[in-house]
Amino acid sequence: MSEHLEVTKTTPLEFVYALLGGLFAPGLAIVMIVLLAVGIQMRQVDNATASESDQVVRNRIKPYGVSLAVDPNVPKVEMTGEQVYNEVCTSCHGSGALQSPKFKDSAAWGKRLGQGYDTLLLHALKGIRQMPARGGEPDLTDMEVARAMVYMTNAAGASFEPVLAKERVLSAAELARGQSVYTAKCASCHDSGMTGAQKLNDTAAWTGLIKEGKDALYAAAINGSFGGPAKGGDLTLADADVKLAVDYMVAQAKTAIDAAKTATAKK
Ligand code: HEC
Ligand code: HEC
Protein backbone atom coordinates (compact mmCIF):
# COMPACT_ATOMS: atom_id res chain seq x y z
CA MET A 1 0.00 0.00 0.00
CA SER A 2 1.28 3.41 -0.86
CA GLU A 3 1.45 6.14 1.80
CA HIS A 4 -1.95 7.58 2.64
CA LEU A 5 -0.59 10.64 4.31
CA GLU A 6 1.18 11.76 1.19
CA VAL A 7 1.47 15.52 1.23
CA THR A 8 -0.52 17.05 -1.62
CA LYS A 9 1.48 19.12 -4.00
CA THR A 10 1.22 22.83 -3.58
CA THR A 11 -0.24 24.47 -6.63
CA PRO A 12 1.25 27.78 -7.79
CA LEU A 13 -1.99 29.54 -6.81
CA GLU A 14 -1.82 28.18 -3.25
CA PHE A 15 1.78 29.27 -3.11
CA VAL A 16 0.75 32.83 -3.99
CA TYR A 17 -2.00 32.81 -1.34
CA ALA A 18 0.41 31.58 1.27
CA LEU A 19 2.91 34.22 0.31
CA LEU A 20 0.35 37.02 0.43
CA GLY A 21 -1.01 35.70 3.74
CA GLY A 22 2.46 35.62 5.21
CA LEU A 23 3.15 39.16 4.09
CA PHE A 24 -0.21 40.68 4.91
CA ALA A 25 -1.19 39.03 8.15
CA PRO A 26 1.40 40.95 10.23
CA GLY A 27 0.52 44.10 8.31
CA LEU A 28 -3.15 43.58 9.05
CA ALA A 29 -2.37 43.01 12.72
CA ILE A 30 -0.42 46.27 12.82
CA VAL A 31 -3.28 48.15 11.16
CA MET A 32 -5.73 46.72 13.69
CA ILE A 33 -3.55 47.69 16.62
CA VAL A 34 -3.30 51.21 15.28
CA LEU A 35 -7.09 51.37 14.81
CA LEU A 36 -7.58 50.11 18.35
CA ALA A 37 -5.26 52.76 19.75
CA VAL A 38 -6.98 55.47 17.76
CA GLY A 39 -10.33 54.12 18.92
CA ILE A 40 -9.28 54.34 22.57
CA GLN A 41 -8.07 57.89 22.03
CA MET A 42 -11.35 58.83 20.39
CA ARG A 43 -13.32 57.36 23.22
CA GLN A 44 -11.39 59.44 25.72
CA VAL A 45 -12.21 62.49 23.68
CA ASP A 46 -15.86 61.40 23.71
CA ASN A 47 -15.77 61.06 27.49
CA ALA A 48 -14.42 64.51 27.87
CA THR A 49 -17.18 66.00 25.76
CA ALA A 50 -19.75 63.88 27.58
CA SER A 51 -18.68 65.26 30.95
CA GLU A 52 -18.54 68.72 29.47
CA SER A 53 -22.09 68.48 28.25
CA ASP A 54 -23.04 66.98 31.61
CA GLN A 55 -21.56 70.05 33.22
CA VAL A 56 -23.54 72.25 30.86
CA VAL A 57 -26.73 70.46 31.84
CA ARG A 58 -25.84 70.71 35.52
CA ASN A 59 -25.24 74.41 35.17
CA ARG A 60 -28.47 74.88 33.30
CA ILE A 61 -30.56 73.22 35.97
CA LYS A 62 -28.51 74.50 38.91
CA PRO A 63 -30.93 77.18 40.06
CA TYR A 64 -33.50 74.47 40.50
CA GLY A 65 -31.89 72.58 43.26
CA VAL A 66 -29.14 70.42 41.81
CA SER A 67 -26.51 70.70 44.46
CA LEU A 68 -22.85 69.98 44.50
CA ALA A 69 -23.28 68.63 47.99
CA VAL A 70 -23.40 64.98 47.09
CA ASP A 71 -20.20 63.71 45.58
CA PRO A 72 -20.63 59.99 44.89
CA ASN A 73 -16.96 59.34 45.57
CA VAL A 74 -17.04 60.57 49.12
CA PRO A 75 -18.37 58.18 51.77
CA LYS A 76 -21.83 59.24 52.81
CA VAL A 77 -22.01 61.32 55.97
CA GLU A 78 -25.46 62.25 57.15
CA MET A 79 -26.08 65.98 56.95
CA THR A 80 -28.00 68.01 59.47
CA GLY A 81 -31.27 69.65 58.49
CA GLU A 82 -29.59 73.01 58.24
CA GLN A 83 -26.85 71.62 56.00
CA VAL A 84 -29.34 69.95 53.68
CA TYR A 85 -31.39 73.11 53.59
CA ASN A 86 -28.34 75.20 52.69
CA GLU A 87 -27.11 72.74 50.09
CA VAL A 88 -30.35 71.76 48.42
CA CYS A 89 -33.59 73.34 49.53
CA THR A 90 -32.50 76.96 49.71
CA SER A 91 -32.20 77.20 45.93
CA CYS A 92 -35.99 77.40 45.80
CA HIS A 93 -37.19 77.95 49.33
CA GLY A 94 -34.62 80.65 50.03
CA SER A 95 -36.24 82.97 47.51
CA GLY A 96 -39.66 81.41 47.11
CA ALA A 97 -38.83 80.34 43.56
CA LEU A 98 -41.53 78.48 41.64
CA GLN A 99 -43.97 79.72 44.27
CA SER A 100 -42.41 77.55 46.91
CA PRO A 101 -43.16 78.61 50.47
CA LYS A 102 -40.28 80.87 51.42
CA PHE A 103 -38.02 80.17 54.38
CA LYS A 104 -39.33 81.74 57.62
CA ASP A 105 -42.44 83.03 55.82
CA SER A 106 -44.95 81.77 58.33
CA ALA A 107 -47.88 83.06 56.27
CA ALA A 108 -46.78 80.99 53.28
CA TRP A 109 -46.18 77.95 55.47
CA GLY A 110 -49.18 78.40 57.73
CA LYS A 111 -51.78 76.43 55.81
CA ARG A 112 -49.25 73.80 54.80
CA LEU A 113 -48.24 73.09 58.39
CA GLY A 114 -51.84 72.21 59.11
CA GLN A 115 -51.48 69.17 56.86
CA GLY A 116 -49.39 67.61 59.59
CA TYR A 117 -45.94 66.15 59.78
CA ASP A 118 -46.57 62.92 57.87
CA THR A 119 -48.09 64.61 54.82
CA LEU A 120 -45.38 67.26 54.69
CA LEU A 121 -42.70 64.60 54.90
CA LEU A 122 -44.41 62.55 52.22
CA HIS A 123 -44.49 65.59 49.91
CA ALA A 124 -40.85 66.38 50.63
CA LEU A 125 -39.88 62.77 49.82
CA LYS A 126 -42.14 62.15 46.83
CA GLY A 127 -42.53 65.70 45.56
CA ILE A 128 -45.71 67.62 44.87
CA ARG A 129 -46.48 69.76 41.80
CA GLN A 130 -43.37 71.92 41.21
CA MET A 131 -41.67 70.58 44.32
CA PRO A 132 -39.32 67.81 43.11
CA ALA A 133 -38.91 64.60 45.11
CA ARG A 134 -36.20 65.11 47.75
CA GLY A 135 -35.72 68.63 46.45
CA GLY A 136 -34.24 67.09 43.27
CA GLU A 137 -31.41 65.37 45.11
CA PRO A 138 -32.14 61.62 45.02
CA ASP A 139 -29.05 60.78 47.09
CA LEU A 140 -30.45 62.39 50.20
CA THR A 141 -31.56 59.80 52.74
CA ASP A 142 -35.12 59.83 54.07
CA MET A 143 -33.78 61.10 57.38
CA GLU A 144 -31.86 63.95 55.77
CA VAL A 145 -34.98 65.07 53.93
CA ALA A 146 -36.96 64.79 57.16
CA ARG A 147 -34.41 66.91 59.04
CA ALA A 148 -34.37 69.55 56.31
CA MET A 149 -38.15 69.60 56.23
CA VAL A 150 -38.25 70.03 60.01
CA TYR A 151 -35.59 72.73 59.87
CA MET A 152 -37.73 74.70 57.41
CA THR A 153 -41.11 74.11 58.99
CA ASN A 154 -39.89 74.82 62.53
CA ALA A 155 -38.39 78.07 61.25
CA ALA A 156 -41.92 78.93 60.13
CA GLY A 157 -43.48 78.21 63.48
CA ALA A 158 -43.95 74.44 63.66
CA SER A 159 -42.43 72.30 66.38
CA PHE A 160 -41.78 68.98 64.71
CA GLU A 161 -39.26 66.29 65.53
CA PRO A 162 -37.54 64.61 62.58
CA VAL A 163 -38.72 61.01 62.67
CA LEU A 164 -39.45 58.61 59.86
CA ALA A 165 -42.85 57.10 59.28
CA LYS A 166 -44.06 55.34 62.38
CA GLU A 167 -44.56 51.62 62.15
CA ARG A 168 -47.96 50.69 60.89
CA VAL A 169 -50.28 49.56 63.64
CA LEU A 170 -51.68 46.13 62.88
CA SER A 171 -55.40 45.52 63.01
CA ALA A 172 -56.74 42.81 65.28
CA ALA A 173 -57.73 40.82 62.19
CA GLU A 174 -54.20 40.98 60.83
CA LEU A 175 -52.73 39.83 64.10
CA ALA A 176 -55.22 36.97 64.29
CA ARG A 177 -54.30 35.91 60.76
CA GLY A 178 -50.63 36.13 61.69
CA GLN A 179 -51.21 33.99 64.74
CA SER A 180 -52.99 31.26 62.82
CA VAL A 181 -50.24 31.14 60.18
CA TYR A 182 -47.67 31.06 62.96
CA THR A 183 -49.44 28.23 64.79
CA ALA A 184 -49.78 26.17 61.64
CA LYS A 185 -46.39 26.78 60.01
CA CYS A 186 -43.89 28.28 62.39
CA ALA A 187 -44.68 27.16 65.94
CA SER A 188 -43.16 23.71 65.44
CA CYS A 189 -39.72 25.33 65.56
CA HIS A 190 -40.21 28.73 67.14
CA ASP A 191 -42.20 27.47 70.15
CA SER A 192 -39.62 24.82 71.00
CA GLY A 193 -36.50 26.58 69.83
CA MET A 194 -35.76 23.53 67.71
CA THR A 195 -32.63 23.72 65.53
CA GLY A 196 -31.84 27.12 67.01
CA ALA A 197 -35.06 28.90 66.03
CA GLN A 198 -35.53 31.94 68.24
CA LYS A 199 -38.33 31.28 70.73
CA LEU A 200 -40.80 34.14 71.00
CA ASN A 201 -39.98 34.63 74.69
CA ASP A 202 -36.23 34.77 74.04
CA THR A 203 -36.02 38.47 74.78
CA ALA A 204 -32.30 38.75 74.16
CA ALA A 205 -32.53 37.18 70.70
CA TRP A 206 -35.58 39.21 69.69
CA THR A 207 -34.17 42.49 70.95
CA GLY A 208 -31.41 41.99 68.40
CA LEU A 209 -33.76 40.78 65.67
CA ILE A 210 -36.16 43.69 66.09
CA LYS A 211 -33.26 46.10 65.66
CA GLU A 212 -32.67 44.62 62.20
CA GLY A 213 -36.02 46.05 61.21
CA LYS A 214 -39.19 44.43 59.91
CA ASP A 215 -38.03 44.44 56.30
CA ALA A 216 -34.97 42.37 57.14
CA LEU A 217 -37.10 39.93 59.13
CA TYR A 218 -39.67 39.63 56.36
CA ALA A 219 -36.90 38.92 53.87
CA ALA A 220 -35.32 36.32 56.16
CA ALA A 221 -38.66 34.61 56.75
CA ILE A 222 -39.63 34.61 53.06
CA ASN A 223 -36.25 33.65 51.62
CA GLY A 224 -34.94 31.66 54.54
CA SER A 225 -31.99 32.48 56.78
CA PHE A 226 -29.23 30.32 58.25
CA GLY A 227 -31.16 27.27 59.42
CA GLY A 228 -34.51 29.02 59.08
CA PRO A 229 -36.35 27.52 56.09
CA ALA A 230 -37.91 29.81 53.47
CA LYS A 231 -41.56 30.39 54.39
CA GLY A 232 -41.17 27.98 57.29
CA GLY A 233 -40.73 25.21 54.75
CA ASP A 234 -44.08 25.72 53.02
CA LEU A 235 -43.44 27.50 49.73
CA THR A 236 -47.16 27.62 48.98
CA LEU A 237 -47.59 30.23 51.72
CA ALA A 238 -48.30 33.72 50.35
CA ASP A 239 -45.66 36.34 51.15
CA ALA A 240 -48.33 38.41 52.84
CA ASP A 241 -49.13 35.56 55.22
CA VAL A 242 -45.48 35.02 56.06
CA LYS A 243 -45.19 38.74 56.83
CA LEU A 244 -48.24 38.61 59.08
CA ALA A 245 -46.70 35.64 60.90
CA VAL A 246 -43.54 37.72 61.39
CA ASP A 247 -45.66 40.64 62.59
CA TYR A 248 -47.29 38.33 65.10
CA MET A 249 -43.92 36.97 66.24
CA VAL A 250 -42.51 40.47 66.70
CA ALA A 251 -45.61 41.57 68.60
CA GLN A 252 -45.30 38.56 70.92
CA ALA A 253 -41.60 39.15 71.38
CA LYS A 254 -42.18 42.83 72.16
CA THR A 255 -44.72 41.87 74.80
CA ALA A 256 -42.16 39.53 76.33
CA ILE A 257 -39.46 42.20 76.18
CA ASP A 258 -41.73 44.78 77.84
CA ALA A 259 -42.71 42.27 80.51
CA ALA A 260 -39.05 41.52 81.23
CA LYS A 261 -38.35 45.25 81.51
CA THR A 262 -41.14 45.86 84.02
CA ALA A 263 -40.01 42.78 85.95
CA THR A 264 -36.47 44.11 86.31
CA ALA A 265 -37.79 47.60 87.09
CA LYS A 266 -39.84 46.19 89.99
CA LYS A 267 -36.84 44.45 91.52
C1 HEC B 1 -36.82 73.11 42.53
C2 HEC B 1 -37.30 73.93 43.60
C3 HEC B 1 -37.43 73.28 44.97
C4 HEC B 1 -36.45 72.72 45.73
C5 HEC B 1 -34.99 72.56 45.39
C6 HEC B 1 -37.06 72.30 46.94
N1 HEC B 1 -38.40 72.60 46.93
FE1 HEC B 1 -39.74 72.22 48.36
N2 HEC B 1 -41.20 73.10 47.28
C7 HEC B 1 -41.03 73.67 46.03
C8 HEC B 1 -42.30 74.16 45.55
C9 HEC B 1 -42.53 74.85 44.23
C10 HEC B 1 -43.23 73.91 46.57
C11 HEC B 1 -44.72 74.22 46.53
C12 HEC B 1 -45.41 73.03 45.90
C13 HEC B 1 -46.90 73.21 45.84
O1 HEC B 1 -47.55 73.11 46.88
O2 HEC B 1 -47.40 73.44 44.74
C14 HEC B 1 -42.51 73.24 47.63
C15 HEC B 1 -43.10 72.81 48.80
C16 HEC B 1 -42.43 72.14 49.79
C17 HEC B 1 -43.05 71.65 50.99
C18 HEC B 1 -44.50 71.81 51.38
C19 HEC B 1 -45.30 70.70 50.76
C20 HEC B 1 -46.76 70.79 51.11
O3 HEC B 1 -47.38 69.74 51.20
O4 HEC B 1 -47.27 71.89 51.28
C21 HEC B 1 -42.07 71.03 51.72
C22 HEC B 1 -42.24 70.34 53.06
C23 HEC B 1 -40.86 71.14 50.97
N3 HEC B 1 -41.10 71.81 49.80
C24 HEC B 1 -39.66 70.63 51.39
C25 HEC B 1 -38.48 70.75 50.68
C26 HEC B 1 -37.22 70.25 51.15
C27 HEC B 1 -37.00 69.53 52.46
C28 HEC B 1 -36.30 70.56 50.21
C29 HEC B 1 -34.82 70.25 50.22
C30 HEC B 1 -34.45 68.88 50.49
C31 HEC B 1 -37.00 71.22 49.14
N4 HEC B 1 -38.31 71.34 49.48
C32 HEC B 1 -36.40 71.68 47.97
C33 HEC B 1 -39.86 73.72 45.32
C34 HEC B 1 -38.65 73.23 45.74
C1 HEC C 1 -38.02 23.92 60.61
C2 HEC C 1 -37.91 24.90 61.66
C3 HEC C 1 -38.46 26.28 61.36
C4 HEC C 1 -39.72 26.62 60.94
C5 HEC C 1 -40.89 25.71 60.62
C6 HEC C 1 -39.74 28.07 60.89
N1 HEC C 1 -38.55 28.58 61.26
FE1 HEC C 1 -38.06 30.54 61.40
N2 HEC C 1 -36.20 30.03 61.96
C7 HEC C 1 -35.74 28.77 62.15
C8 HEC C 1 -34.36 28.81 62.60
C9 HEC C 1 -33.49 27.63 62.92
C10 HEC C 1 -34.03 30.18 62.68
C11 HEC C 1 -32.72 30.78 63.16
C12 HEC C 1 -31.89 31.16 61.99
C13 HEC C 1 -30.75 32.00 62.48
O1 HEC C 1 -30.00 31.55 63.33
O2 HEC C 1 -30.65 33.11 61.99
C14 HEC C 1 -35.22 30.91 62.27
C15 HEC C 1 -35.27 32.28 62.22
C16 HEC C 1 -36.38 33.00 61.87
C17 HEC C 1 -36.45 34.43 61.86
C18 HEC C 1 -35.32 35.37 62.20
C19 HEC C 1 -34.50 35.57 60.98
C20 HEC C 1 -33.11 36.00 61.28
O3 HEC C 1 -32.73 37.06 60.77
O4 HEC C 1 -32.40 35.26 61.98
C21 HEC C 1 -37.70 34.77 61.46
C22 HEC C 1 -38.26 36.17 61.30
C23 HEC C 1 -38.40 33.55 61.23
N3 HEC C 1 -37.59 32.49 61.49
C24 HEC C 1 -39.72 33.50 60.81
C25 HEC C 1 -40.38 32.30 60.59
C26 HEC C 1 -41.76 32.23 60.14
C27 HEC C 1 -42.62 33.44 59.81
C28 HEC C 1 -42.07 30.93 60.05
C29 HEC C 1 -43.39 30.34 59.62
C30 HEC C 1 -43.93 30.80 58.37
C31 HEC C 1 -40.90 30.17 60.46
N4 HEC C 1 -39.90 31.04 60.79
C32 HEC C 1 -40.84 28.79 60.51
C33 HEC C 1 -36.42 27.60 61.98
C34 HEC C 1 -37.74 27.51 61.57
Side-chain angles (χ1 to χ4, degrees):
M1 248 192 149
S2 63
E3 271 286 61
H4 247 145
L5 292 171
E6 197 185 348
V7 180
T8 45
K9 280 231 182 78
T10 313
T11 64
L13 193 59
E14 280 168 345
F15 176 74
V16 172
Y17 280 155
L19 187 67
L20 288 180
L23 285 176
F24 279 112
L28 192 63
I30 290 169
V31 168
M32 282 167 77
I33 290 167
V34 169
L35 284 178
L36 184 70
V38 169
I40 291 169
Q41 295 276 339
M42 304 255 286
R43 211 167 321 142
Q44 275 168 358
V45 170
D46 266 350
N47 272 348
T49 43
S51 68
E52 261 164 40
S53 63
D54 179 37
Q55 198 54 50
V56 170
V57 171
R58 275 180 169 270
N59 284 340
R60 181 149 33 91
I61 56 183
K62 204 160 155 197
Y64 296 107
V66 173
S67 85
L68 309 168
V70 185
D71 177 347
N73 301 315
V74 173
K76 179 98 185 143
V77 180
E78 287 268 319
M79 288 191 279
T80 66
E82 185 177 358
Q83 282 169 333
V84 175
Y85 171 78
N86 285 328
E87 297 287 357
V88 181
C89 322
T90 186
S91 59
C92 290
H93 289 276
S95 60
L98 304 177
Q99 277 132 45
S100 58
K102 200 173 156 184
F103 191 63
K104 282 195 171 159
D105 181 344
S106 38
W109 279 101
K111 247 203 335 237
R112 296 174 185 271
L113 297 184
Q115 298 177 104
Y117 178 89
D118 289 342
T119 304
L120 288 165
L121 178 59
L122 186 75
H123 291 165
L125 289 170
K126 305 271 181 220
I128 177 170
R129 293 178 285 268
Q130 302 246 56
M131 160 74 200
R134 292 169 200 268
E137 192 54 80
D139 289 337
L140 290 177
T141 64
D142 289 3
M143 198 58 195
E144 283 173 325
V145 174
R147 288 198 204 106
M149 189 278 273
V150 167
Y151 177 73
M152 270 202 286
T153 48
N154 285 2
S159 48
F160 293 131
E161 283 277 330
V163 288
L164 298 180
K166 289 181 208 78
E167 228 168 67
R168 208 167 55 87
V169 179
L170 292 156
S171 69
E174 285 172 321
L175 268 185
R177 174 79 196 160
Q179 178 172 18
S180 74
V181 175
Y182 173 81
T183 308
K185 304 292 179 185
C186 322
S188 57
C189 294
H190 286 276
D191 269 5
S192 60
M194 204 166 77
T195 66
Q198 298 91 344
K199 288 165 82 169
L200 301 190
N201 60 6
D202 182 343
T203 53
W206 280 97
T207 303
L209 287 174
I210 290 168
K211 275 208 194 102
E212 289 176 20
K214 278 266 177 87
D215 286 340
L217 296 181
Y218 290 153
I222 290 171
N223 305 318
S225 60
F226 327 92
K231 300 192 168 186
D234 179 358
L235 293 177
T236 64
L237 268 184
D239 286 4
D241 277 342
V242 179
K243 287 183 181 178
L244 285 176
V246 173
D247 290 337
Y248 169 76
M249 292 164 85
V250 169
Q252 291 296 105
K254 277 187 176 157
T255 311
I257 291 167
D258 288 345
K261 268 191 204 144
T262 33
T264 43
K266 269 187 192 147
K267 266 182 207 161

